[in-house]
Amino acid sequence: MTAIVLYCRPGFENECAAEIQEKAGWNDVFGYIKLKKNQGLVEFHLYDAEQGDTLLQKLPLKRLIFARQWFLTLGEVIDLPDYQRVEAISEALGSEFRYEELRVESLDTNDGKALSKFIRKLSVPLRQALRKSEVLAPKQSDEYVQGAAVLHALFFSGQQVQLGYSYASNTSPHPMGIPRLKFPSAAPSRSTLKLDEAFLHFIPKAEREERLTSGLNATDLGSAPGGWTYQLVRRGMMVKAVDNGPMADSLMETGQVKHYQQDGFKFRPSKKNNYWLVCDMIENPIKVAKLMASWVIDGDCKEAMFNLKLLPGKGRYQQVEKGLKLIKDMLSEHDIWYEMYAKHLYYDREEVTVHVRALGKR
Ligand SMILES: C[S@@+](CC[C@H](N)C(=O)[O-])C[C@H]1O[C@@H](n2cnc3c(N)ncnc32)[C@H](O)[C@@H]1O
């Protein structure tokens, strides 16, 4: 089979499938979908196998909202023997291609998680064997050569593996697209991981010093008890925290936070020196999208990071698209240059994180 395999949050397979079909179609690549519900996996089978590689290069993974990671299959699922699995995988790979990196993966399900010990144990000899046969490059480096490929080995069980590849320049840096973040014990809520992941995902490492740095002003709408504010404070920013609910004392004691017990839809900073707007209000996604765009248009923030909370029921992909279109239309109407990306991040649940950055006026 030749398919693009996409990982997503279990339960979001339909959204992930609808999106890859639509966005592949924009690139004149067509195929059909195979998925199993709640497995966090979607297969996009290509009508023309040759087009798989083209799509992997042409469609930026960061343009896909619901896919955490992807790869193009190399052949069928392999049935492995009980012993000498490494040899069986090496043999299936042959020696024609060379990969920069190996990702040994499993599904984001209970069965997948149960395989983690097996995967850890197998990864070492597999990596060694592939390096020895020069299928895998000698050592990983931070910078890849143009066209460098990542080898994926997706284990469904100890007996079955699907091999595939993605391009290092267009792949997630994390196995299965899942970053493992440590919950900071000083943060007042687990939501903190969402903004931490969002900053890591959307802001390139080389630019964090400038765009996520001390001295910047930030506003947090729907801030209580302060998990998101914590991420801004820990990066040295001064934060206006807007919520009728109480903020954690530990944050107030830093002297970096001013709490406004006001409606997030009405609040605006008094001066035009606010850099970040973050928003985690549980509100209608269209209302939130409109609010975010209006802050950018009015020059009340340069960058916005926010969640669009998805309403229960069908059409979650359409809900996100509608919110994004509204923002695009509003910013375009006001001649604003911008970049905007959205992702269903690992720590997101029934919500999608969006990042908008104003780049100036046309
Ligand atoms: C998911 S919680 C935010 C959690 C917070 N980001 C954290 O990390 O601790 C949503 C918050 O939005 C607030 N909220 C909802 N609607 C609001 C509004 N119109 N104005 C201000 N806050 C609002 C709620 O009071 C609630 O505290």
Side-chain angles (χ1 to χ4, degrees):
M1 73 169 190
T2 302
I4 291 186
V5 170
L6 303 108
Y7 299 99
C8 65
R9 185 180 185 84
F12 283 81
E13 297 82 9
N14 287 336
E15 285 73 13
C16 186
E19 184 177 29
I20 188 65
Q21 279 217 298
E22 182 178 39
K23 294 182 179 171
W26 293 346
N27 288 281
D28 291 323
V29 176
F30 302 98
Y32 64 95
I33 296 288
K34 270 194 191 172
L35 57 81
K36 279 199 202 123
K37 277 205 168 282
N38 297 318
Q39 296 288 297
L41 195 81
V42 170
E43 291 172 10
F44 177 59
H45 290 256
L46 300 143
Y47 290 134
D48 176 358
E50 303 279 306
Q51 289 188 318
D53 186 83
T54 316
L55 192 65
L56 270 195
Q57 299 189 58
K58 262 175 63 178
L59 177 61
L61 178 63
K62 65 181 183 178
R63 279 284 165 224
L64 293 178
I65 301 165
F66 289 95
R68 293 171 175 169
Q69 176 64 302
W70 65 354
F71 64 78
L72 184 66
T73 56
L74 289 162
E76 305 290 324
V77 170
I78 302 170
D79 289 318
L80 294 170
D82 287 341
Y83 298 99
Q84 302 199 310
R85 293 183 174 105
V86 167
E87 290 76 0
I89 294 171
S90 294
E91 198 185 307
L93 279 168
S95 56
E96 202 181 333
F97 295 105
R98 191 181 158 106
Y99 303 91
E100 285 297 307
E101 208 183 309
L102 168 68
R103 302 269 171 77
V104 187
E105 305 178 316
S106 64
L107 298 179
D108 184 20
T109 58
N110 288 339
D111 286 349
K113 282 172 196 145
L115 282 176
S116 61
K117 202 170 155 197
F118 163 80
I119 281 177
R120 266 202 310 277
K121 259 177 103 175
L122 190 85
S123 297
V124 178
L126 181 58
R127 198 166 268 113
Q128 276 172 356
L130 296 180
R131 283 202 175 126
K132 202 166 163 208
S133 59
E134 297 188 3
V135 167
L136 196 62
K139 65 173 169 53
Q140 282 177 27
S141 71
D142 272 353
E143 283 181 21
Y144 295 105
V145 284
Q146 185 70 20
V150 174
L151 176 63
H152 295 258
L154 166 60
F155 281 87
F156 296 107
S157 68
Q159 278 76 43
Q160 284 205 310
V161 67
Q162 172 69 62
L163 300 174
Y165 72 94
S166 60
Y167 284 101
S169 57
N170 195 17
T171 197
S172 161
H174 310 289
M176 294 112 82
I178 300 178
R180 301 282 172 193
L181 300 178
K182 200 168 168 268
F183 175 67
S185 56
S189 71
R190 287 204 71 80
S191 288
T192 200
L193 293 174
K194 292 187 210 171
L195 189 60
D196 201 13
E197 183 185 5
F199 282 150
L200 291 177
H201 178 80
F202 291 107
I203 314 297
K205 200 172 174 185
E207 294 175 27
R208 289 186 201 139
E209 281 238 9
E210 192 192 328
R211 292 164 60 190
L212 290 171
T213 193
S214 66
L216 290 180
N217 294 312
T219 304
D220 182 357
L221 302 180
S223 55
W228 284 32
T229 295
Y230 173 85
Q231 292 297 335
L232 301 164
V233 164
R234 115 177 151 77
R235 290 171 171 85
M237 297 187 213
M238 302 300 288
V239 186
K240 292 182 172 63
V242 184
D243 201 309
N244 274 318
M247 292 295 287
D249 292 340
S250 55
L251 286 172
M252 299 311 296
E253 283 158 13
T254 61
Q256 285 169 251
V257 182
K258 193 157 180 210
H259 185 193
Y260 296 82
Q261 289 184 297
Q262 293 181 24
D263 181 355
F265 285 94
K266 298 203 176 115
F267 178 87
R268 284 297 172 110
S270 55
K271 291 186 196 155
K272 299 282 181 204
N273 63 355
N274 184 62
Y275 188 86
W276 274 104
L277 168 64
V278 303
C279 173
D280 190 26
M281 291 193 287
I282 302 173
E283 291 279 358
N284 181 295
I286 295 300
K287 260 178 88 181
V288 170
K290 215 169 175 177
L291 180 72
M292 299 297 106
S294 65
W295 275 63
V296 175
I297 290 165
D298 297 340
D300 282 328
C301 68
K302 289 273 184 296
E303 301 199 42
M305 192 78 82
F306 52 96
N307 276 342
L308 295 181
K309 309 279 180 187
L310 304 173
L311 304 169
K314 288 191 174 168
R316 292 180 294 192
Y317 174 45
Q318 286 76 8
Q319 287 179 45
V320 180
E321 287 290 287
K322 200 171 157 193
L324 298 181
K325 180 165 183 323
L326 182 94
I327 297 170
K328 275 181 209 158
D329 290 348
M330 284 176 70
L331 297 184
S332 303
E333 230 170 75
H334 287 82
D335 287 332
I336 291 175
W337 283 109
Y338 65 94
E339 59 177 22
M340 175 164 71
Y341 290 96
K343 200 81 183 172
H344 194 207
L345 296 171
Y346 176 66
Y347 290 99
D348 283 339
R349 289 173 184 272
E350 290 288 325
E351 62 214 330
V352 159
T353 303
V354 185
H355 174 237
V356 180
R357 182 186 185 199
L359 300 171
K361 274 261 188 192
R362 265 192 277 213

